[in-house]
Amino acid sequence: MPRKTAPRAPVQTAKQPTPRQHRQALAEAQARCAAQGAQLTEQRALVLELLLARDGAGKAYDLLADMRALNPGVAPMTVYRALDFLVEQGLVHKVAATSSFVVCKHGPHPHNDPVFLVCGRCGDATEWDNPALGNQVEQALAGLGLHAHGMEINVDCARCQAQDAQRR
Ligand SMILES: [Zn+2]
Ligand SMILES: [Zn+2]
C-alpha cells in the first residue's frame, strides 16, 4: 500500500513578491543613489526592501534574520555594511534611542539631520518632518561651535496616551 506523503509545508523562506509601493520606493532609491554617485547594489536594495517589508523600521539583527531566511550563508557584515550605506545615502535613518533603522519618508535632508519623536514607552520612532525646528537647532548649535547629527525627542506617543485614557 503506497504510503501517504504528508502535505508539504509551504516554503517559509521564499521571497514574497515586492508590493508596488515598495517597487516605487526602490526605484526612487536607485535614482537617488545614482544622482549621488553611489550604487544601490542588489544586496543593498534587498536590505532596503526587507526594511520596507517591516513597515519601514527594524533592528539590525531583525534584518539579518530576514536576510538569512532568504540566504542562510549571508555574513552579518554584509547586512551591517548595507545599512551603513543606506544611512550614508540618506535613505534610512539610524535612531540611537532604540538602536533601530527607519526608512526616510521625507526625501533628502539638505540643511539638517532628521528629527525623531521616540516614545519612551513603546519605542515607536516617528520621523517628524520639521525643517524649521531642525534649522533653528542647527543655528543655535553653530553659535556654540557645534554641529547636530539629528535629534531624538522623548515623547509619549498617541497610541500609548490613548491606552492610558482607556484605563481611566
Ligand atoms: Zn528623513
Ligand atoms: Zn508609545
Side-chain angles (χ1 to χ4, degrees), residues 71-84:
N71 174 8
V74 74
M77 276 315 281
T78 307
V79 176
Y80 302 157
R81 286 214 191 100
L83 285 168
D84 285 346

Side-chain angles (χ1 to χ4, degrees), residues 153-165:
I153 302 174
N154 276 313
V155 297
D156 287 334
C157 79
R159 215 167 353 129
C160 286
Q161 287 188 60
Q163 274 177 10
D164 278 357

